[in-house]
Every structure is written in structure tokens, then in C-alpha cells.
């Protein structure tokens, strides 16, 4: 009898300990799609760019027009989020607004703003310089409950520098051996990581959208957008099927910058007038005015950290994403950086 009671206690102990432990076992998946315009996300393919032989192979035009008429055809998963209690915002045609606050409108300054919650005017290039700023990944990686639980994957070889993997201890592409990985290998590793239930915070940086846009391949840019949406949908199915992730994972999807909005070739580029002045050789189109509109971004989110919120009057900013992510994880964003952008309205209050 005593042996039976002991056995019962041994069996019950973990359950009792679980019940008494703090409720914070929240997880986060942050996905970025490099240089993906809100125009394609919400309007779908641009008719003028499809008809322009410089950007779209004529053989592809009809097929694209048939399959992707609207943004919801191109990105069915992200467009399904509002009906599931999530958000998709940044549609300027619908009066929504989201923008970067950094003055450059390209990648390193944008990722730094997403990961740290503020623009750093000293970051004026994409050079492989270890970030002097502390990202929320690094801060979490030093917090109880998160140490060793933060991981990143991306197919741009500057991510290890932006996240400062050496100082932060956050592994970025650790299993990919330092090679420049393809987007599909990044997706596969990220899914493996999710399956292993290891990281509580998973960052995935997808870059094909920006690469194809710079090359002027509009149909490949669109295909990358569609493939990324499909990948994110699969990730979310995995989350919902797995008790370790289901009901405690907040997913955020966003972009580091937009692209030029003027007719013609402007969509292939991005950057402010200031960034063109600093590095005129870094652009294939010489335009001292920069690429207006490439500061405009969008964001999607779903999960227990996301709540219905009245649309604010101002323009949402990229600098609010770090505090939003920390709030979704049940962490105090002010303890991370009281000067960071405040959480987005749909990440606060119930
Ligand atoms: Zn770019």
C-alpha cells in the first residue's frame, strides 16, 4: 500500500509542479519576407508589371492572371488570419498605414528596427558588421526560461551579424554550416526545429522575394510570395497539430522594407533619397530622389498574444514589433528597452 502511494505521488508530482509553475510558457514564431510590397500582399499582381516584358515572361502572364487575381489568391493563408481572430494590416487602399522609422529603407536598418524596437541612425549599410545593439532575441536568450530557447534561420548571410550570434549566443543557421542556404533548406530546418520542440522563439528570415525583385523577375517575385505564404501556412498547421506549440504560440509575419511604388522599374529597387546619396553605386537605377513608398510595410499576426483592437488613427511603425513580440511572450518590453516603440494596439489588453 505504501509502495502504491509512493508510486502515485511520483506520478502526480510532475502534474502538481506543472499546475503551480508560472503560466508563462508562451512561444513566438517571427517570419520576415524581405522587401515584399504591401501592394502585392493586398492588391495581388500588378497588371502593368505583368504586361511589361522586361519584368514578366509573356508565357507566364496568362497563367498568373488566371491563378492570382487578388492578394487573397497570392497569399491565401495571411488573408485567412482576420477571420481566425488574427490581423493583417498595412493595406493603404483601406486606410491602414504601417511604415519603417529608419531613414534608409533597406535591409540591415529594417531588421535592426524590427529586432531592437528602434531605428539606429548609425546603421547606413548592409555591411557584415556585428550589431552594436541588443536585439530582443539576445535579451530573451539571457532570461530565465528562454536561455538556449531562441534560434534563427535565414537565407541572407548578414543575419548572423544583425543578430550578433557570437555575442548574443543566439544560433543563426547553426546547422547550415555557414553556407549560403537556399530558401527551401531554411524552411526545412525551421520545420525540423519546430518538430524538435526546442526553441520557444523561432525566427525565420526569407529573402527570395527581394532577390528576384532586384533581378527584375516579377513572376519569380510573385511565386516567392506565394511559396512563402504556403510555407507559413504549413508552419501554422504544424503548430496547431502539436501540443507543445498549440494554443501558446503567437505568429508574426512582416517585412523589412517595401519597394518603389512609381510606375516602371521602381518596384525593383528600394531605399530613401538619403541612402542613394550615401551609396549611389549600390543602385541599378540612378535616382537621387530614392524610391518613394519603400518605407511602407505590412504585418500579419495570429495566436494568443493577438487581440481585437480598435484601429488607431496614426501610422503603425516597424519599431513597435519588438515590444509586440515581447508582450505576446508575457515579457515586460520596458525592461528590455523603455525607449523602444510601444506594442502595436492588437498586442495589448484583452
Ligand atoms: Zn533589397
Amino acid at each position: 500500500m505504501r509502495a502504491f502511494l509512493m508510486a502515485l505521488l511520483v506520478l502526480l508530482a510532475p502534474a502538481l509542479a506543472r499546475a503551480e509553475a508560472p503560466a508563462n510558457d508562451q512561444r513566438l514564431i517571427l517570419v520576415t519576407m524581405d522587401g515584399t510590397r504591401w501592394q502585392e500582399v493586398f492588391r495581388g499582381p500588378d497588371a502593368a508589371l505583368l504586361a511589361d516584358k522586361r519584368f514578366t515572361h509573356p508565357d507566364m502572364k496568362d497563367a498568373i492572371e488566371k491563378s492570382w487575381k487578388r492578394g487573397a489568391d497570392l497569399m491565401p493563408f495571411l488573408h485567412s488570419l482576420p477571420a481566425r481572430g488574427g490581423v493583417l494590416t498595412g493595406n493603404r487602399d483601406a486606410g491602414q498605414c504601417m511604415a519603417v522609422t529608419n531613414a534608409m529603407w533597406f535591409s540591415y536598418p529594417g531588421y535592426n528596427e524590427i529586432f531592437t524596437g528602434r531605428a539606429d541612425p548609425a546603421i547606413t549599410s548592409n555591411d557584415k558588421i556585428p550589431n552594436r545593439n541588443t536585439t530582443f532575441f539576445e535579451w530573451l536568450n539571457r532570461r530565465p526560461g528562454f536561455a538556449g530557447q531562441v534560434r534563427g534561420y535565414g537565407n541572407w548571410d548578414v543575419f548572423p551579424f544583425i543578430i550578433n550570434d557570437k555575442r548574443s549566443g543566439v544560433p543563426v543557421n547553426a546547422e547550415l554550416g555557414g553556407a549560403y542556404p537556399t530558401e527551401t533548406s531554411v524552411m526545412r530546418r525551421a520545420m525540423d526545429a519546430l518538430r524538435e520542440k526546442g526553441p520557444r522563439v523561432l525566427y525565420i528570415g526569407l529573402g527570395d522575394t527581394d532577390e528576384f525583385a532586384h533581378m527584375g523577375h516579377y513572376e519569380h517575385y510573385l511565386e516567392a510570395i506565394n511559396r512563402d505564404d504556403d510555407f507559413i501556412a504549413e508552419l501554422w498547421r504544424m503548430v496547431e497539430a502539436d501540443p507543445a506549440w498549440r494554443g501558446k504560440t503567437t505568429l508574426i509575419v512582416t517585412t523589412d522594407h517595401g519597394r518603389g511604388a512609381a510606375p516602371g522599374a521602381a518596384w525593383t529597387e528600394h531605399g530613401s533619397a538619403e541612402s542613394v546619396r550615401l551609396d549611389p553605386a549600390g543602385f541599378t537605377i540612378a535616382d537621387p530622389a530614392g524610391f518613394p513608398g519603400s518605407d511602407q510595410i505590412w504585418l500579419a499576426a495570429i495566436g494568443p498574444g493577438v487581440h481585437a483592437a480598435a484601429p488607431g488613427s496614426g501610422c503603425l511603425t516597424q519599431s513597435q514589433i519588438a515590444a509586440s513580440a515581447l508582450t505576446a511572450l508575457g515579457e515586460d518590453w520596458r525592461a528590455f528597452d523603455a525607449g523602444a516603440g510601444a506594442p502595436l494596439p492588437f498586442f495589448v489588453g484583452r
Side-chain angles (χ1 to χ4, degrees), residues 201-328:
V201 178
L202 182 58
Y203 169 65
I204 305 161
L206 305 173
D208 281 5
T209 39
D210 191 66
E211 297 294 332
F212 287 124
H214 281 296
M215 293 178 211
H217 295 321
Y218 193 61
E219 75 264 43
H220 295 316
Y221 165 71
L222 294 174
E223 283 163 1
I225 293 174
N226 181 252
R227 183 175 64 241
D228 291 353
D229 181 81
D230 190 59
F231 162 70
I232 297 162
E234 179 61 23
L235 266 189
W236 191 247
R237 274 193 292 274
M238 290 173 70
V239 162
E240 299 223 290
D242 189 331
W245 294 82
R246 181 173 56 228
K248 42 192 158 188
T249 303
T250 296
L251 168 71
I252 300 175
V253 186
T254 189
T255 189
D256 54 334
H257 55 75
R259 318 198 69 80
W267 74 277
T268 65
E269 287 283 8
H270 56 88
S272 63
E274 173 69 358
S275 74
V276 174
R277 192 186 65 78
L278 288 170
D279 179 25
F283 296 83
T284 49
I285 307 166
D287 190 340
F291 301 91
S294 53
D295 60 326
Q296 301 172 358
I297 60 167
W298 53 270
L299 178 136
I302 189 168
V306 181
H307 319 292
S313 51
C315 192
L316 307 174
T317 68
Q318 190 171 50
S319 65
Q320 297 180 273
I321 297 171
S324 301
L326 290 170
T327 302

Side-chain angles (χ1 to χ4, degrees), residues 138-222:
E138 179 172 357
W139 185 77
L140 284 172
N141 203 36
R142 300 205 178 102
R143 298 271 302 154
F146 286 100
Q149 299 282 312
V150 187
R151 215 180 292 176
Y153 296 93
N155 64 333
W156 191 40
D157 52 2
V158 186
F159 281 126
F161 295 86
I162 303 175
I163 294 170
N164 200 335
D165 57 346
K166 293 203 170 57
R167 186 191 66 209
S168 67
V170 174
V172 183
N173 291 350
E175 301 96 321
L176 292 159
Y180 192 90
T182 63
E183 192 163 286
T184 45
S185 71
V186 164
M187 290 170 171
R188 192 161 49 240
R189 290 294 178 173
M191 285 174 166
D192 287 347
L194 196 152
R195 244 179 242 114
E196 289 159 16
K197 303 169 183 50
R200 285 182 62 187
V201 178
L202 182 58
Y203 169 65
I204 305 161
L206 305 173
D208 281 5
T209 39
D210 191 66
E211 297 294 332
F212 287 124
H214 281 296
M215 293 178 211
H217 295 321
Y218 193 61
E219 75 264 43
H220 295 316
Y221 165 71
L222 294 174

